[in-house]
Amino acid sequence: MQAFLFSALMLGNILYAVSLDAIIDNALASNPSLQSINERIAANKESINLASQFANPELLLRINDINLDDPTNRSIEPMQWMAVDFSQKLPYFGKRDAEKKIAIAQENVLIENLDSAKSALVGAIKSQAYSIWELERLVAIIGDYEDLTRQNIELYEAYTSTSDDQHMGIMSAELTLSNLRIQKSRLHSLITSAYARLSYFSVQEISKLKIELDVTEMPPMALLKEELKNNRNVAIRESEVRKELAALERAKLDHYPDTSIQAGYYYRESFDDYLSVGIGLSLPIYGSEDYKEEHARRLMLAKKSEKADTVMSVDTKFESVYANMKNAYETYRIITDESLPQIGHMFDLSNSSVRVGGDLFKYIDILEQKLRLEQQSVSAVAAYHRARAEIAQLTGEMK
């Protein structure tokens, strides 16, 4: 039954296009890397519980028999006894709470790592989906231009004589068709690879994607930069700093001695039994605690430096990605608002000329220019959205 349901799901993915939102939801629920981090978070819960526990007590059975020469006279010697000793180590006040704070801080680090992994996964899925949209749009455009070129070759052959110049024009058009087929073959190969990567990210087989992209606006830099405060990598570094601060506070407590209590019950066959109680202290007299504290302080300072470096790195990457997005937006606007209307008018004139026996060379040249512009337009749209996905990841988005 499970095999049937799985097969039905796979068949559904093949027959029907999957939306980007559905892919992201499935990836967040099923990706093994995220599940691995979740398991580490669950394991750390036990570390939090363990931090509140005392060390295991020690139980010791002892027999003291000093009369080895005369075993028959064992009962008359007071120093002959059998004892049960119990000892328990008691850490200095606050040490267990400090250990618990370290474990809780480690849990926060893991949670931030999980959120960072989710954000990175969503960004990778979006980027891959936008690349698929770009490749499929390029294939569709090339298909349209193949049809146009064939139609005009047929018209040109039907309405003109076969002079050498006209024959060269037809050959040039056929070479253009060959080049278009080569481009389309390469794009199909890239599409197959892109769907394989998207399937890997989303933990399901995907062969058709439902997505529409357009460019409508260029968001202000200041508005997007304000959201960098939610960057997941910076949050990880902040959590790591807090963990090291907790470790430093724990190291400071090592200057105070731990205690241990001991109790023993002594049994003597011919004399009174008795109870022994004692208390012990660890003596921090060799200065090891100073080294431990300094070690913890240095680690904390190192994490603070890493956080500062991460903040600068995020800012730099944001400015770079924003510049790429702005370039893609401006490229799209120039092509859409200026270049394509001009080349479109030239193309209409050339197309009309070919239909009455005009210069096919000129038509092919204009056709190739128009194709390149439309390809650049599609690539600009995809680049714009990929840059937006990168910025979304930098701002910590997980959807």
Side-chain angles (χ1 to χ4, degrees), residues 228 231-239 307 310-311 314:
L228 290 180
N231 181 269
R232 302 297 176 180
N233 289 334
V234 173
I236 290 173
R237 295 289 179 257
E238 178 61 29
S239 295
K307 178 189 173 184
T310 301
V311 171
V314 168

Side-chain angles (χ1 to χ4, degrees), residues 14-29:
I14 293 174
L15 296 178
Y16 302 102
V18 184
S19 70
L20 182 56
D21 287 342
I23 291 172
I24 290 173
D25 289 341
N26 187 76
L28 292 176

Side-chain angles (χ1 to χ4, degrees), residues 129-138 211-213 378 381-382:
Y130 300 152
S131 293
I132 289 173
W133 176 87
E134 176 186 7
L135 295 169
E136 290 182 338
R137 287 294 301 143
L138 291 176
I211 185 173
E212 292 295 334
L213 298 180
V378 167
V381 173

Side-chain angles (χ1 to χ4, degrees), residues 355-367:
R355 291 177 181 275
V356 294
D359 188 352
L360 187 58
F361 275 114
K362 185 179 295 185
Y363 168 79
I364 294 299
D365 180 63
I366 296 174
L367 182 70

Side-chain angles (χ1 to χ4, degrees), residues 154-168:
E154 293 171 0
L155 285 172
Y156 198 72
E157 290 175 334
Y159 289 104
T160 62
S161 61
T162 55
S163 66
D164 289 342
D165 289 343
Q166 293 160 346
H167 184 65
M168 288 289 289

Side-chain angles (χ1 to χ4, degrees), residues 189-204:
S189 175
L190 293 174
I191 288 172
T192 300
S193 299
Y195 269 113
R197 287 192 293 272
L198 185 62
S199 298
Y200 165 73
F201 290 141
S202 58
V203 201
Q204 60 179 322

Side-chain angles (χ1 to χ4, degrees), residues 164-361:
D164 289 342
D165 289 343
Q166 293 160 346
H167 184 65
M168 288 289 289
I170 293 172
M171 290 180 63
S172 177
E174 289 175 344
L175 285 173
T176 298
L177 277 176
S178 297
N179 182 53
L180 291 175
R181 286 196 297 271
I182 291 171
Q183 291 185 47
K184 191 161 69 172
S185 175
R186 183 180 64 85
L187 290 171
H188 279 304
S189 175
L190 293 174
I191 288 172
T192 300
S193 299
Y195 269 113
R197 287 192 293 272
L198 185 62
S199 298
Y200 165 73
F201 290 141
S202 58
V203 201
Q204 60 179 322
E205 188 65 31
I206 300 173
S207 59
K208 195 173 183 183
L209 179 65
K210 181 171 66 176
I211 185 173
E212 292 295 334
L213 298 180
D214 197 5
V215 175
T216 56
E217 62 177 5
M218 184 63 196
M221 184 177 187
L223 181 64
L224 294 177
K225 195 168 186 177
E226 177 66 22
E227 297 302 315
L228 290 180
K229 64 179 181 292
N230 299 321
N231 181 269
R232 302 297 176 180
N233 289 334
V234 173
I236 290 173
R237 295 289 179 257
E238 178 61 29
S239 295
E240 289 175 342
V241 169
R242 290 175 182 170
K243 178 187 172 184
E244 296 302 332
L245 281 171
L248 176 59
E249 292 304 313
R250 172 62 183 83
K252 290 179 179 179
L253 291 175
D254 280 336
H255 289 282
Y256 301 94
D258 296 327
T259 60
S260 60
I261 57 172
Q262 297 175 337
Y265 181 81
Y266 292 77
Y267 166 76
R268 298 185 296 181
E269 185 173 343
S270 300
F271 297 90
D272 293 338
D273 298 343
Y274 65 94
L275 180 68
S276 173
V277 178
I279 186 170
L281 291 176
S282 61
L283 300 178
I285 61 176
Y286 296 115
S288 301
E289 291 71 25
D290 293 332
Y291 295 124
K292 291 179 180 179
E293 181 180 343
E294 186 61 20
H295 175 76
R297 180 176 289 103
R298 293 296 179 181
L299 290 178
M300 181 270 294
L301 293 175
K303 289 301 180 182
K304 282 190 173 182
S305 296
E306 289 178 13
K307 178 189 173 184
D309 181 71
T310 301
V311 171
M312 290 188 294
S313 176
V314 168
D315 287 340
T316 300
K317 186 173 183 180
F318 169 78
E319 292 176 4
S320 175
V321 174
Y322 187 86
N324 292 337
M325 184 171 70
K326 186 175 181 180
N327 175 64
Y329 176 82
E330 291 175 349
T331 299
Y332 174 78
R333 292 263 66 99
I334 291 171
I335 293 174
T336 303
D337 300 339
E338 300 175 19
S339 302
L340 281 178
Q342 293 176 7
I343 200 73
H345 180 63
M346 294 169 61
F347 179 76
D348 291 338
L349 293 176
S350 180
N351 193 31
S352 300
S353 175
V354 168
R355 291 177 181 275
V356 294
D359 188 352
L360 187 58
F361 275 114

